[in-house]
Every structure is written in C-alpha cells, then in structure tokens.
Amino acid sequence: MSSSPSSRPSVVVAELGPTNTGKTYRAIERMLEHDSGIIGLPLRLLAREVYDRVTAKVGEGRVALMTGEEKRIPPRPDYWICTVEAMPTDRQVDFLAVDEIQLAAHRERGHVFTDRLLHARGRKETWFLGAETMRPMVQALIPHASMKRATRLSQLRYSGRKSLKSLPPRSAVVAFSADRVYELAESLRRLRGGVAVVLGALSPRTRNAQVAMYQSGEVQYLVATDAIGMGLNLDLNHVAFATLSKYDGAEQRDLYPDELAQIAGRAGRHLNDGSFGALNTLPELPPRVVSAIESHRFPAVRSLIWRNASLDFSSPEALLDSLSRAPRDSAFVRVERADDFDALKGLSAVPAIRELTTDKASVELLWQVCQVPDFRKGLFGQHVALLRETFLQLTAGDGRLDPTWLGRQVSPLDDASGDIHTLMDRLAAIRIWTYISHRPGWLHDAEEWQERTRRIEDALGDALHERLVERFVQRAARRSARRFVRASAQPQASSDSPFAKLGQLLTEVPGAEGALMTEEQFVQRVVDATHDAFEVDPMGRISFESQPLARLVRGRDRRSPQLALAEPEVWTGGARQRLERRLVALAKDLVTEAMGGFPAESFTGESRAPAMRGVAYRLAEGLGVISQGEAREQWKLLDEESRERLKAQGVHEGQRFLYVTGALSPQALERRAMLTALFQQASCPQGIPQEPALNVAALGGRNARSFGYEVIGPVALRIDIVERLAEGLRNPQGARQAHALMQQLRLEGSVRAQVLRALGGQPQGAASKRRRRKRGRKPSATAPEAGGARGREPAVSKWLNERPS
C-alpha cells in the first residue's frame, strides 16, 4: 500500500452505486486474481464475513484478518481483510480496495476514509467502492480514475407502515439505541417466539453467533441498530424502521434520505426483491423520501472530512496546532472533534505530563496513548484519567505498564455473571485492555496479557450471547437452545454415536462460570482453531481434539471436495453453519497443501495472459503436477517475466514433468492420494504414496498419475523418483547414484532396462553384472509389490526419500 497516489501508475477504479449491486463481491474476486491484496471494510462484522468468504476460496493459510479487536495472521499471508482503520499502511500489495467510501463524509470516522482515498494505492490496481453520491468528489480528487456505475440486482419497494405482529418472516427492525433494541426484541419474542439482536457494541464473537442464528433460520426476525447498514449480507426480505432519528454524537437529528436508503437497501439479496417501511407507531415516510430511496437518487457529497496527516511532534502544543490545521482545498472540512484530539488537549494541560513531553519521542508516545479508543462511551473524564495513568507509567521506570496495576484493572472484568447490561459494560471495558495489550513495547509478557484479555473477552461474549438467547428466544422456537452437554441430555454409554464420546469429554470441560461448555463455546473453539489443530486421516475424516466432526466427500473434481458433518442433527442451525464455514476453509487448505502451496486463483484470473492462465489451470487440475507434453506449448508461449513469476511460486521445469516443488513433498503426496481416493470413491491402492515403486497390477487399472505415479513398462514409479532418476541420468555425477537407486528399487533386470531407456539412460555394462553376481545378489523375478523397497543402503535410502528441488 502506497502512502502517495502519485508514486506509481496504479490503475484506479471507482465502482459506485446503491446497495445489493455486487460491488464488494466483484472487488473480492478481482483481488484474488492478483498475487497479493488488501481490502478495507467499514465494520468488524463485515470484515469477518469477507474473511470467511475469502478463506473458503483460498484457505486460511493465505489470508490475514486484522481489525481493532480480532487478529488472525498466518505466517505468510497474501491477502489482508481489515477494517479501514486497521489497514496496514506500510505493506506493499498488488491490489487494494476500500469499501463504503461515502463514509469519508462521516463527522467522526470520515478523516480515515478520506486519507485512504487520497493516499492508499495498490501497486497495480486500486478500487474504491461506495455510493453514487461520491462520484463528483472522486472525479475531482482522482481525475484519472475509471468510473463505473453499479446497478442494483433487485427492486426495492416501499410497503408502508406495519405493526410488529404483521411483519413478514425474514424481517429486520431497526432502532438506534440499545434500550429500544431490547424493548423491540422482547415484544417480538412474545409475538413470534424468537429474535436475534445485532448492535455495534456487541463483541465480534457475540454478533457472529447472533447473525449465524438468524442466517440459519433458527429465528426469523432480527432487531438491530444501523450496524446492519454497512454491507452485511443478511437474508432480509423487509426492513422496518422503529425510529427515524438518531443521536450522531453531537445532536439528536432526523436521518437523511441516503442514510435511510443505506439501511433499507439491506432488504432483498441478489435477485430477490425487498421492501422497506416503518412501524405503525411512526408517520408515513414523505413521498419524496420514498421516491429517492426507490430510485437511488440523492444529493451528491460536496465535502469530505479531513485531518492533517503531517503532524508536528516537537511539543504537545505543536501537535495540537498541526492537528487543528485547516485544509487548503475547499473540498475538505476539518474534523470538528475526535476523542483522541480531546484527550490530547486535556492531557497536555496536566503539569506532570507537560514536564515529560519535552522531545519528539515522548510527544509521539503521548499521541499513541491518546488514540486508545474509549469503548465504554461513558464519562469522558474517566477515560482521560485512565490515559493519564497509562502515559505516566510508560514514561517512568522501565517504560512498561506495572503488571500489578494492570491486574487490578483487568481482574474485576473476569466475571461472566450478571445481566445483559452488566456483561456489555464489562465487554466494553475489556476491549480497551485488549487494545492496549497489542501495543508494541507497552507491557511485560505482552503475549500472556493478550491471551488473558482475549480469554476474558471471549468468555464475556459467550455469556452475553447466551443471555440474549435466554431472553429473546423462546425454547420452543429454537430447536436446541440448551447447553451443548447437560447431564440429562448426555448420550448413553452404550451409544454408537461418535458424539457419545464427545459428550463425555465436554462434561469435564468447564465453560463460563464453571458450568458445562455450551454449544456456542465449543463451536467457537473450532472456528478459532488453527489448521494444525485438526486431524485429517487418509479417508478424509476430520477430527478436532480427537473427536469426529465431519468427513470430506466427492465434489465436482479433486480440488472441490464437499463436506458432510458427522451428525448434523446434533447442532443448531447457527452452529452448523459456522462449523461448515470453518471446515470449508480447512478443505481448501488441504487442496492447497496437495498443490504444494501453488496459488492457482492468482494465476487464472481474466487479467492474466491466456498462456499463463492455461499453464496455471493445468497445474491446478493436476494438483501441482503435469506432464511436459501437456505443458510444452503453453510454456513456450510464456514471456520471460511470466516464467519467472511461476518459478517464484515453486514451479519447476523438470525432465518429464512441469511441477510445483512442494507438490512432491511427502505431505503433499498424502493429500493428493486422499483427494484422488475421495473423488474416485475408492480407497487408495496399497502402498500409495509411501512406496516409491509399485507393480502396475497393484493399481487395479486406476490412473497412476492421479496418485502421483508414472507407469513405465510393468512398473509404476512415484513422480518424485522419476524426476530424480531422469535428472541424475543426465548428469555425469548423478548417473552412478541413479543406477544405485535403481538397484534399491529392486526391479528385475529387463524392467530396469526399460526404465533406464525410457528415462534416457543406458543399462550398466557387463562389469556391473559381474560385480552383482560376485556379491551374490540375485535380481528379483518380477517388479516389486507394494511394500517391497526394503533393506536400502543408508545413503541411497536417504536420497530415495528426498524430493527434487
């Protein structure tokens, strides 16, 4: 990501239009056509949804998730899914996108979106997505941008006022305060049996569980704040407004027509039409507002919120002055107020802090402390007092926060008892300490504190979700609103169910408040688990902590295995949906392992040259291995740069095959064998992939190459052995070792001669035969059976088990 729009000729695309136009979907697909990318999104919940969508396509090993509260970063990610504020501005990527750029006009967050619009660029391509109202501003600020108009895929119609009782299924009721949301949820529960709740103040963990409950159909109604308005893909048919005004941080005001449209537009997904209206406690919407929403026509944005990015850290006063600097361009309006600015202004007046901020480093540290978010949104003076103590500790002693003081702040929050409001207050407070624990250099044992605060936040989130379900979902409305394992519901000891053992295990695992683990807690453990936490056997059975979860089944090809949960009826709909989503990403990772990590999606996009796409497609189809005959023509058509790009991804032009080096590793060959057996719906032939040489008859007429072997005469050799032999026979120093390897494969004389001739070598002479007879070694009468390559000399055996590089 570049800090300057003019530093390179990046293609800039602005795709603007109303909701439900597929803008975000197209941006994701375009990003995956590049080798690397970042997409910035306006909400944590939306970032998690996009992360799930991307990992289902390319696996979790290639994707990082970074928000203010949630970080999942694999060792070498290619794609970054972030909130706009959390985008890593120092990372260079080929593709970059920012969603909902109309938020650049938001009075509090707008300056961040404006900064991304002005400065964030991908090396090759940049996309800005948002409302049509941003067209004049984008054209003025980025004259060379390619402007695209996105058209809504479905119709949106006004349906008038309705009572809560007459709302159709798959409806969302929107309010703008937590108390009003709870009041409406309670009314809907009495009328309809159950409702999900979504507020911006909920933790991502709680909101994910609530949304999953709604999306799976466990409940048919949703009550939410305007948090659902920013791109969340919910299966809504109708949106009903419970109020038409909100407090925007400065005043209580009526919602603007474009704000109403952003929320109402959540109704109707893809090609399904949607409707919007108000509850019958409100007046009818004015005809001009209805017409504007239905036709998606609103006044253009004429100014953006701006903050100076060139800050002066010579003193607190200089920093305040630089933050207060007015923009030079009339298109920008300086941010009126922000919590970090107000905190800086308050702390700068404290004598003890003024004495400490005498150099650039101390002023920069003070600014970092002021940027700690006030998630509690209570009395701002309390937050400033917390920041004051934090800064004084960071500038005293060893420059770290006192662990005893930290413990006094965090320990009272480690309590999952209490009602919904109490839990939400604790969640807001622990989020501050989760944020602080991730600041580099602020804490002793930072990883330990990160784990502790995350554990507390997770426990509070689980407890809050459970309280919400208990309060707003009648037991009859939810198929399984119980704890995952209860003493009265445990499987009998004699049960053959694979979940009988799981039930017994979970009775020993305490959840929140020392109680048994809930279904949501167990599912969350699975969702949060890394790739290495799952066990996958050669038959495609997936286990977690030795407990069966699912199995892979045949898909349309080897690269697209499908999932079948071990016992789907055990789970509630929301839990089942979340499990399947995580396991789909796991399945994709398994396919990527079989291909040696080759990022096929990045090389098969429409932006690639036809020859590049053809080679990449064939490599993906062959799970990282194709014959030279298949690849030769397209490989010749590649230019030198394209070849180097493929080689950088591990593609090697061997003697008989074009292959990804990692695809011939032992683990990759095991995954290949599993995926091939699943697709062919038959177990692997005995000895595959462990044995380097097999009798062709042992394959039972099945395609040897699909399992990673090459048939040469009556014998099938593993492809890595074929390549090593072929390479050795073309190298004077390797020929002798190649012949020694041939002997270790225990092939009978005529077969050995056929293999050597096929690989371009010559049989050893009579002297070699005499030496063999002198040693008393008799060649075997037939080609080896599975398991036949034993008793190898140590040096050659080691060479045999290596893979070509």
Side-chain angles (χ1 to χ4, degrees), residues 24 39-47 50 67 82-85 87 97-103 109 113 129 207 227 229-232 262:
T24 307
I39 183 167
L41 300 148
L43 292 176
R44 292 179 298 251
L45 188 55
L46 179 57
V50 171
T67 71
C82 314
T83 49
V84 172
E85 286 84 351
M87 294 173 72
V98 180
D99 199 9
E100 305 291 2
I101 58 168
Q102 72 274 8
L103 286 176
R109 300 177 66 195
F113 285 80
L129 317 172
R207 283 176 293 167
M230 288 296 155
L232 295 185
Q262 185 72 33

Side-chain angles (χ1 to χ4, degrees), residues 671-699:
R671 298 303 189 206
R672 167 187 282 272
M674 177 193 72
L675 293 170
T676 301
L678 285 172
F679 184 69
Q680 296 181 357
Q681 296 183 302
S683 59
C684 283
Q686 186 179 356
I688 289 179
Q690 295 80 16
E691 293 300 331
L694 295 171
N695 192 311
V696 171
L699 296 173

Side-chain angles (χ1 to χ4, degrees), residues 365-480:
L365 177 61
L366 177 62
W367 180 233
Q368 291 171 9
V369 171
C370 291
Q371 290 179 302
V372 173
D374 181 19
F375 292 113
R376 292 175 296 186
K377 299 297 182 185
L379 296 175
F380 191 65
Q382 293 181 346
H383 183 64
V384 173
L386 173 63
L387 299 184
R388 174 182 177 277
E389 181 63 27
T390 300
F391 178 75
L392 292 176
Q393 288 199 29
L394 291 174
T395 51
D398 61 0
R400 301 288 192 275
L401 296 179
D402 176 21
T404 303
W405 177 77
L406 267 176
R408 289 200 301 268
Q409 309 303 315
V410 171
S411 294
L413 305 176
D414 192 4
D415 180 3
S417 63
D419 59 16
I420 290 173
H421 289 284
T422 301
L423 291 172
M424 288 188 65
D425 288 343
R426 291 190 191 125
L427 260 174
I430 197 62
R431 285 170 63 187
I432 295 175
W433 299 108
T434 300
Y435 181 93
I436 288 176
S437 71
H438 283 88
R439 297 299 302 175
W442 284 18
L443 287 80
H444 296 284
D445 303 319
E447 291 185 1
E448 181 180 334
W449 282 104
Q450 290 167 12
E451 174 62 29
R452 182 177 178 183
T453 56
R454 181 61 184 269
R455 178 184 57 78
I456 294 172
E457 185 177 338
D458 288 347
L460 291 171
D462 290 337
L464 179 56
H465 174 67
E466 193 173 351
R467 299 294 193 284
L468 290 171
V469 170
E470 288 175 351
R471 178 170 173 182
F472 299 124
V473 183
Q474 290 181 2
R475 298 302 183 188
R478 196 179 189 209
R479 184 174 53 79
S480 177

Side-chain angles (χ1 to χ4, degrees), residues 288-594:
R288 61 177 182 81
V289 173
V290 171
S291 175
I293 295 174
E294 291 183 338
S295 61
H296 320 298
R297 295 184 182 277
F298 306 99
V301 173
R302 294 300 179 185
S303 59
L304 304 181
I305 304 300
W306 178 89
R307 172 190 267 180
N308 181 28
S310 300
L311 301 181
D312 183 351
F313 292 105
S314 59
S315 69
E317 293 78 8
L319 178 57
L320 285 168
D321 286 344
S322 61
L323 286 166
S324 302
R325 192 168 301 157
R328 296 177 180 178
D329 194 318
S330 61
F332 302 127
V333 176
R334 182 172 60 84
V335 60
E336 291 181 9
R337 65 158 305 276
D339 285 349
D340 52 8
F341 180 88
D342 291 344
L344 176 64
K345 191 173 181 180
L347 292 177
S348 298
V350 177
I353 290 179
R354 292 180 62 85
E355 293 176 4
L356 293 169
T357 51
T358 57
D359 55 31
K360 181 179 179 180
S362 61
V363 177
E364 286 182 342
L365 177 61
L366 177 62
W367 180 233
Q368 291 171 9
V369 171
C370 291
Q371 290 179 302
V372 173
D374 181 19
F375 292 113
R376 292 175 296 186
K377 299 297 182 185
L379 296 175
F380 191 65
Q382 293 181 346
H383 183 64
V384 173
L386 173 63
L387 299 184
R388 174 182 177 277
E389 181 63 27
T390 300
F391 178 75
L392 292 176
Q393 288 199 29
L394 291 174
T395 51
D398 61 0
R400 301 288 192 275
L401 296 179
D402 176 21
T404 303
W405 177 77
L406 267 176
R408 289 200 301 268
Q409 309 303 315
V410 171
S411 294
L413 305 176
D414 192 4
D415 180 3
S417 63
D419 59 16
I420 290 173
H421 289 284
T422 301
L423 291 172
M424 288 188 65
D425 288 343
R426 291 190 191 125
L427 260 174
I430 197 62
R431 285 170 63 187
I432 295 175
W433 299 108
T434 300
Y435 181 93
I436 288 176
S437 71
H438 283 88
R439 297 299 302 175
W442 284 18
L443 287 80
H444 296 284
D445 303 319
E447 291 185 1
E448 181 180 334
W449 282 104
Q450 290 167 12
E451 174 62 29
R452 182 177 178 183
T453 56
R454 181 61 184 269
R455 178 184 57 78
I456 294 172
E457 185 177 338
D458 288 347
L460 291 171
D462 290 337
L464 179 56
H465 174 67
E466 193 173 351
R467 299 294 193 284
L468 290 171
V469 170
E470 288 175 351
R471 178 170 173 182
F472 299 124
V473 183
Q474 290 181 2
R475 298 302 183 188
R478 196 179 189 209
R479 184 174 53 79
S480 177
R482 54 173 174 76
R483 289 190 177 276
F484 187 43
V485 178
R486 282 190 172 188
S488 60
Q490 293 176 26
Q492 297 298 316
S494 59
S495 171
D496 293 330
S497 165
F499 278 85
K501 184 179 179 183
L502 178 61
Q504 295 166 8
L505 172 70
L506 290 177
T507 59
E508 302 171 3
V509 181
E513 307 175 58
L516 300 182
M517 185 181 296
T518 64
E519 178 188 70
E520 285 81 10
Q521 288 171 326
F522 179 79
V523 169
Q524 190 66 47
R525 288 176 67 186
V526 176
V527 169
D528 289 341
T530 61
H531 180 76
D532 295 338
F534 296 92
E535 302 116 33
V536 184
D537 69 13
M539 302 299 293
R541 292 183 290 245
I542 301 171
S543 301
F544 177 70
E545 297 178 348
S546 300
Q547 306 306 317
L549 278 185
R551 59 188 173 88
L552 298 174
V553 296
R554 189 179 194 271
R556 67 176 184 273
D557 53 41
R558 290 187 298 172
R559 292 177 292 137
S560 309
Q562 301 299 300
L563 276 165
L565 291 180
E567 286 195 17
E569 67 277 5
V570 169
W571 312 100
T572 56
R576 183 169 61 249
Q577 186 181 68
R578 299 181 72 204
L579 277 176
E580 289 174 341
R581 191 165 52 196
R582 175 64 186 94
L583 295 178
V584 164
L586 173 67
K588 189 60 184 180
D589 280 329
L590 297 173
V591 174
T592 302
E593 283 182 2

